[in-house]
Amino acid sequence: MAIPHPKTVRASLTSPEQIHRSFHWWFFQLPELPEMSVAANVFAFIDYLWKYWSPGLDDPAHLRRIKDMLSVPGVLTASLGYYRAMFQPPDPACLELWALMEQRITVPTLSICGGDDIRGEVLEAQRVNFAGEYSYAILPECGHFLHRERPAEVTRLVLDWLAKDN
């Protein structure tokens, strides 16, 4: 949900719209400053991303849990490590994993994205990265956190897809 195939992500890094929408990937590459900025002002950066990606979603209890989790020592740096790893040379111990991520996915796959999330623009184009059955759905008037914005619709899409004879 809301995250394309790794090859599609790399290809999108030359799109001005995708760069703008994913500015945090670039910002998180810096040493130390992201940790300070994200944690500042009671994690106001998290509030900003939440509103930017899913402006109609109001879920203060969930945001509080996210901030509590990120305030545990080491968790914020580990979370930023996900983004930092995208732009770093692969760890030699993980070369086999990186090679697997280059392959086409052979299992049946359903990709879901919110219509207001710019990542939805790549769902048809990324079909080339799937050798097995590939289908996608875009939920209109929905942002990045579609599973929180429209849980019943997301659940229905997944259950209907799983019930198909894949």
Side-chain angles (χ1 to χ4, degrees):
M1 278 188 275
I3 301 295
H5 186 282
K7 283 178 128 176
T8 304
V9 169
R10 276 195 308 284
S12 76
L13 296 178
T14 59
S15 160
E17 294 85 6
Q18 294 288 347
I19 291 169
H20 179 251
R21 187 68 167 184
S22 302
F23 76 93
H24 60 292
W25 293 1
W26 309 96
F27 177 60
F28 292 164
Q29 300 308 306
L30 299 170
E32 299 177 25
L33 181 60
E35 281 86 349
M36 292 185 313
S37 298
V38 172
N41 301 312
V42 194
F43 291 92
F45 194 90
I46 300 302
D47 293 319
Y48 171 78
L49 288 179
W50 190 270
K51 289 177 186 160
Y52 180 49
W53 292 336
S54 286
L57 180 58
D58 185 32
D59 195 348
H62 185 69
L63 276 171
R64 179 76 260 146
R65 288 190 301 274
I66 292 169
K67 292 174 183 183
D68 288 347
M69 179 265 311
L70 290 172
S71 69
V72 172
V75 171
L76 178 56
T77 298
S79 298
L80 295 175
Y82 165 81
Y83 298 96
R84 289 172 173 151
M86 282 193 253
F87 291 3
Q88 301 299 320
D91 180 326
C94 298
L95 289 177
E96 187 176 328
L97 173 62
W98 278 84
L100 290 172
M101 289 180 13
E102 292 296 313
Q103 295 178 5
R104 294 174 74 203
I105 295 173
T106 59
V107 297
T109 303
L110 169 65
S111 186
I112 310 171
C113 197
D116 295 337
D117 188 348
I118 195 167
R119 290 160 185 89
E121 295 177 3
V122 302
L123 295 183
E124 178 58 37
Q126 78 172 3
R127 183 179 297 278
V128 299
N129 297 311
F130 296 85
E133 179 194 345
Y134 170 74
S135 57
Y136 67 89
I138 298 176
L139 291 178
E141 299 177 15
C142 189
H144 183 65
F145 302 111
L146 59 158
H147 61 293
R148 299 210 56 92
E149 291 178 66
R150 310 257 282 282
E153 289 177 62
V154 169
T155 300
R156 177 57 34 217
L157 282 168
V158 171
L159 290 175
D160 289 349
W161 185 81
L162 289 171
K164 288 181 4 182
D165 185 22
N166 288 315

